[in-house]
Amino acid sequence: VKNIAILTSGGDSPGMNTAVRAAAKFAFDKGLTVFGIRRGYAGMVNDDIYEMEPKDVSGIIDRGGTTLLTARCLEFHEAKYRAQAAANLRKRNIEGVVVIGGDGSYRGANYLSLEHPDIKVIGIPGTIDNDIAGTDYTIGFDTALNTVLEAMSKLRDTATSHERTYFLEVMGRDSGELALYSCLAGGGDGLFIPEKEFALDDLADLVNTRRQKGKLSDLVLVSEGVGSAAEIASKLKNKIHSSVRVTILGHVQRGGAPSALDRLLATKMGAYGVKRLLEGASGIMIGIESNELTEYPIGYAWENKKKINDNDYELAMILSK
Ligand code: F6P
């Protein structure tokens, strides 16, 4: 492998730039020519591919978002566009691609490597959702978690002053990871995630008992995958002796400078992805488990749904009482 390309795809996440930098710098060190593909698979199909220079990855280690830009490309679901994309890679002699994104991006990578085996593909998990099986953490999750924690502290100030119950809706698509760990690390007073049942009446009882015992406010985490926090709040409004407010944190969770953990993760994974390409690997995803870099066939990501850690959930339930 002499020429490789890097793309970021799907929802951006803090640390994607860090991973691009590490992959590119590692590749430069090995004498490779590195191409950047803009807007994920859309750029591969539309031939928006450019040769990267070291200056393109200089000063981006701590920048949120992705300088390569990102998109969700529907055309890539069709084989004829994938063939067009492969032709665009071939004309530059690109033999390896590092795909940084979520499991949707991995599916595209899988099709590409199966239909065009001359092009090697490695997946690196970049999403704030932490919903990819085969890795304890995805790049961006820790930064998003810290963003939620900061919001929780601010909300708790005002919630306490006004003796209110706040419902905070956080992202995660259909995964409750971000909400669960926000609840644990931020001291949430209730948790709704798609993977587990939590009865509204139980929360109402908890809130009412707390008020009797003198606790002034509540901060309840709602993962977007269970539905809207506004709906949950309106169902509870008449059952609790507390005024209610709802905050939807939204895309602020996707931005910001990557945390130390995300930078380390992105740096290790980005470089390792290129190392494995050079060793001839293809159709694999990189992960980190028990602090060791791991790899799985790329299909592992969607064939095995990542499970919520039951012990962590139980602890969140106990501590949020
Ligand atoms: O997958 C990342 C994510 O931020 C999810 O948490 C969220 O459901 C979704 O992307 C939002 O997507 P969009 O940027 O298209 O609004």
Side-chain angles (χ1 to χ4, degrees):
V1 175
K2 283 266 169 277
N3 295 356
I4 66 157
I6 309 173
L7 64 85
T8 52
S9 163
D12 64 349
S13 71
M16 279 184 161
N17 279 328
T18 321
V20 171
R21 168 191 178 268
K25 287 195 76 167
F26 189 86
F28 290 140
D29 184 66
K30 302 291 169 231
L32 306 185
T33 300
V34 181
F35 292 86
I37 303 178
R38 291 191 187 90
R39 298 179 190 84
Y41 295 112
M44 205 188 265
V45 172
N46 302 325
D47 209 17
D48 197 351
I49 303 173
Y50 65 101
E51 188 175 332
M52 293 180 97
E53 295 172 34
K55 73 171 168 46
D56 293 322
V57 294
S58 172
I60 64 169
I61 192 168
D62 57 353
R63 277 178 60 189
T66 165
T67 54
L68 284 178
L69 309 179
T70 185
R72 295 188 172 103
C73 175
L74 292 177
E75 283 179 338
F76 212 71
H77 293 211
E78 291 179 50
K80 69 171 178 183
Y81 289 109
R82 291 195 291 270
Q84 190 175 312
N88 289 333
L89 298 177
R90 268 183 213 114
K91 74 183 180 200
R92 295 176 177 87
N93 296 319
I94 295 171
E95 299 155 293
V97 184
V98 176
V99 173
I100 305 165
D103 66 350
S105 314
Y106 283 8
R107 283 174 202 256
N110 190 44
Y111 280 123
L112 187 71
S113 70
L114 291 176
E115 292 165 1
H116 305 280
D118 54 320
I119 296 165
K120 298 181 167 45
V121 185
I122 303 268
I124 292 183
T127 164
I128 65 162
D129 298 336
N130 206 28
D131 59 347
I132 298 185
T135 190
D136 294 340
Y137 296 107
T138 55
I139 297 166
F141 172 70
D142 182 64
T143 308
L145 181 55
N146 280 291
T147 300
V148 178
L149 297 186
E150 200 185 321
M152 287 178 74
S153 296
K154 290 180 175 170
L155 287 174
R156 187 175 287 111
D157 289 344
T158 176
T160 305
S161 306
H162 287 264
E163 299 171 71
R164 283 175 172 156
T165 300
Y166 261 82
F167 290 85
L168 174 59
E169 183 179 308
V170 301
M171 281 186 167
R173 206 178 287 275
D174 54 5
S175 162
E177 289 267 319
L178 193 53
L180 167 59
Y181 291 102
S182 299
C183 184
L184 269 176
D189 302 301
L191 174 65
F192 291 89
I193 57 173
E195 294 87 346
K196 303 279 180 183
E197 290 282 325
F198 183 30
L200 287 178
D201 285 343
D202 290 347
L203 180 65
D205 290 346
L206 273 178
V207 171
N208 292 332
T209 313
R210 277 181 202 142
R211 283 298 172 284
Q212 280 164 10
K213 291 184 175 167
K215 185 168 168 31
L216 299 176
S217 65
D218 320 90
L219 191 41
V220 178
L221 272 305
V222 180
S223 175
E224 65 175 353
V226 294
S228 95
E231 254 170 54
I232 294 181
S234 77
K235 283 184 191 151
L236 267 178
K237 213 159 58 192
N238 300 324
K239 300 182 184 214
I240 56 180
H241 315 301
S242 175
S243 90
V244 165
R245 290 289 185 276
V246 174
T247 296
I248 299 170
L249 205 49
H251 290 79
V252 73
Q253 293 161 98
R254 289 239 296 262
S259 66
L261 192 107
D262 277 329
R263 290 187 211 184
L264 288 172
L265 201 58
T267 297
K268 289 184 191 184
M269 287 180 169
Y272 189 64
V274 175
K275 179 170 182 278
R276 295 296 292 123
L277 271 182
L278 286 174
E279 289 165 355
S282 184
I284 59 164
M285 52 162 278
I286 307 294
I288 191 151
E289 291 177 304
S290 306
N291 219 18
E292 292 290 331
L293 289 171
T294 54
E295 62 187 56
Y296 289 93
I298 206 156
Y300 190 87
W302 60 88
E303 284 156 10
N304 300 275
K305 193 170 160 38
K306 185 166 191 175
K307 289 195 185 71
I308 283 287
N309 182 310
D310 286 332
N311 293 333
D312 290 348
Y313 179 76
E314 288 312 318
L315 184 59
M317 287 290 103
I318 291 169
L319 301 183
S320 62
K321 271 188 197 154

